[in-house]
Amino acid sequence: VQLVESGGGSVQAGGSLTLSCTSSGRYASSYFMTWFRQAPGKEREGVAIISTDHGIRLYADSVKGRFTISRFERRAESTVNLQMNSLKSEDTAMYYCAASWSRRTDWFDSAGYDHWGQGTQVTVS
């Protein structure tokens, strides 16, 4: 499975951005998908996760009420979107999507995810 993120950019505080992560491959729709972010000098942190059947959607406390994760499948591709509203300067980071084949006890522990994208930069000023 290959993951490709897009949609990053620069925005003023209070603005919105939508990030997309497209995964392709035979079992692309079978993975749990999580967005992580990493700001300079900080550890990578989980932002939001969505399960294959959309039944699990979890958010980090820092983004609850502002970010929304969604996904849709089309043929051999699965796209996971992260709608980000009311952006703050502290949301500035490189955002990565990650795929996990297995259910996890801690979705926001980045260790052990099966696939990662290359990241997309979000800058809020």
Side-chain angles (χ1 to χ4, degrees):
V1 171
Q2 291 185 324
L3 307 180
V4 179
E5 300 100 332
S6 61
S10 297
V11 65
Q12 291 187 339
S16 299
L17 281 175
T18 299
L19 306 183
S20 294
C21 172
T22 299
S23 57
S24 58
R26 186 174 181 182
Y27 299 107
S29 63
S30 301
Y31 285 82
F32 297 86
M33 298 297 296
T34 302
W35 282 97
F36 288 86
R37 66 185 182 186
Q38 187 167 19
K42 294 188 177 181
E43 292 188 356
R44 189 168 295 188
E45 64 171 346
V47 176
I49 177 264
I50 188 166
S51 62
T52 54
D53 64 355
H54 306 201
I56 299 174
R57 298 189 201 206
L58 299 174
Y59 299 90
D61 288 343
S62 58
V63 306
K64 280 181 183 176
R66 300 188 298 122
F67 290 12
T68 302
I69 191 169
S70 61
R71 70 186 291 169
F72 63 93
E73 277 73 35
R74 179 175 179 270
R75 296 183 182 175
E77 286 189 349
S78 179
T79 299
V80 179
N81 292 328
L82 186 68
Q83 173 69 42
M84 306 186 296
N85 298 325
S86 303
L87 283 163
K88 306 174 181 180
S89 58
E90 50 263 45
D91 295 317
T92 295
M94 184 71 79
Y95 283 71
Y96 301 89
C97 64
S100 176
W101 180 260
S102 304
R103 188 176 292 266
R104 306 167 65 86
T105 55
D106 183 355
W107 293 107
F108 292 156
D109 180 356
S110 62
Y113 270 79
D114 300 291
H115 305 284
W116 288 86
Q118 81 289 349
T120 186
Q121 178 67 39
V122 172
T123 302
V124 184
S125 59

